[in-house]
């Protein structure tokens, strides 16, 4: 009798669990982003501005190195005051290069701000498309197969990447 009750309880629990089964879907953000021309243009723009800014930093660094080499070559001919002035000039140039690098490439630098301004609208558009599809189809969870979430296998049947692209106006 107790055994039958336990078996019945297990069956009831399994019934409730399957009745409230959750639906999942996968997206491949790398695939989606590669198929959005605005993303590719934004990346190219970021690469160009990054190269330009890096060239400015490199120019200051080269100037500092040149000042140092000249200082070393002239060292024996310089007075104490001249040595101090040259050392100060070298340190100032190195400081300028360091500050410019931080300004452009630091955690809150210009490149970060530029990337945010270019990428946020694209990411928001993708998020809204994924959310609309998830709401329409009743998905409780949508995972990114391209991220490092530890997904070992995901059936192509639950991959909605092409549907997201279609919703965004990019058919595949």
């Amino acid at each position: 009798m107790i055994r039958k009750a336990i078996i019945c309880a297990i069956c009831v629990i399994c019934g409730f669990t399957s009745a409230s089964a959750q639906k999942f879907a996968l997206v491949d953000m790398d695939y989606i982003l590669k198929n959005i021309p605005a993303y590719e243009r934004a990346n190219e723009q970021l690469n160009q501005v990054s190269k330009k800014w890096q060239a400015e930093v490199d120019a200051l660094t080269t100037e500092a190195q040149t000042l140092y080499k000249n200082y070393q070559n002239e060292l024996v001919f310089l007075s104490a005051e001249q040595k101090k002035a040259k050392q100060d000039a070298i340190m100032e140039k190195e400081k300028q290069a360091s500050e410019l690098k931080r300004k452009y490439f630091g955690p809150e630098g210009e490149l970060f701000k530029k990337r945010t301004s270019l990428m946020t609208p694209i990411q928001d558009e993708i998020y809204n498309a994924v959310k609309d599809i998830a709401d329409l189809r009743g998905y409780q969870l949508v995972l990114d197969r391209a991220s490092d979430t530890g997904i070992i296998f995901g059936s192509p049947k639950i991959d909605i990447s092409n549907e997201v692209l279609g919703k965004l106006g990019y058919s595949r």
Side-chain angles (χ1 to χ4, degrees):
M1 185 70 170
I2 294 177
R3 189 170 184 203
K4 278 187 178 181
I6 292 173
I7 291 173
C8 285
I10 291 173
C11 288
V12 169
I13 291 172
C14 288
F16 283 131
T17 304
S18 64
S20 65
Q22 296 181 355
K23 291 177 70 177
F24 303 98
L26 295 175
V27 294
D28 186 335
M29 286 301 292
D30 288 344
Y31 172 76
I32 292 170
L33 291 171
K34 286 177 185 171
N35 284 284
I36 296 178
Y39 177 77
E40 293 299 322
R41 285 191 303 272
N43 256 341
E44 183 57 34
Q45 193 174 353
L46 287 171
N47 286 337
Q48 288 175 0
V49 77
S50 177
K51 286 178 185 175
K52 177 184 169 233
W53 289 340
Q54 186 61 51
E56 290 178 33
V57 171
D58 291 345
L60 283 176
T61 302
T62 301
E63 285 181 46
Q65 290 170 345
T66 302
L67 287 173
Y68 182 72
K69 286 177 186 174
N70 291 341
Y71 167 76
Q72 284 184 318
N73 291 338
E74 301 167 355
L75 188 59
V76 292
F77 305 110
L78 298 175
S79 67
E81 292 171 356
Q82 291 172 322
K83 287 179 185 177
K84 175 79 170 119
K86 297 249 182 199
Q87 290 170 353
D88 289 345
I90 294 166
M91 288 174 45
E92 179 60 30
K93 197 57 76 173
E94 288 173 341
K95 181 180 174 189
Q96 288 174 358
S98 177
E99 287 175 355
L100 191 61
K101 185 175 184 176
R102 186 173 52 255
K103 175 187 171 193
Y104 288 150
F105 302 108
E108 296 294 321
E110 296 299 316
L111 187 63
F112 173 80
K113 292 174 186 172
K114 186 86 169 160
R115 179 177 286 119
T116 300
S117 72
L118 291 173
M119 297 300 182
T120 298
I122 297 167
Q123 292 169 334
D124 289 347
E125 190 178 5
I126 294 169
Y127 171 80
N128 289 330
V130 170
K131 186 178 179 311
D132 289 347
I133 293 168
D135 289 344
L136 180 70
R137 295 224 181 144
Y139 296 130
Q140 285 82 26
L141 180 66
V142 179
L143 299 170
D144 179 10
R145 98 172 34 235
S147 70
D148 294 331
T149 57
I151 297 173
I152 295 172
F153 172 78
S155 171
K157 294 176 185 175
I158 63 171
D159 190 325
I160 61 170
S161 300
N162 285 326
E163 190 172 349
V164 171
L165 283 171
K167 181 130 181 95
L168 295 169
Y170 307 102
S171 47
R172 263 286 150 183

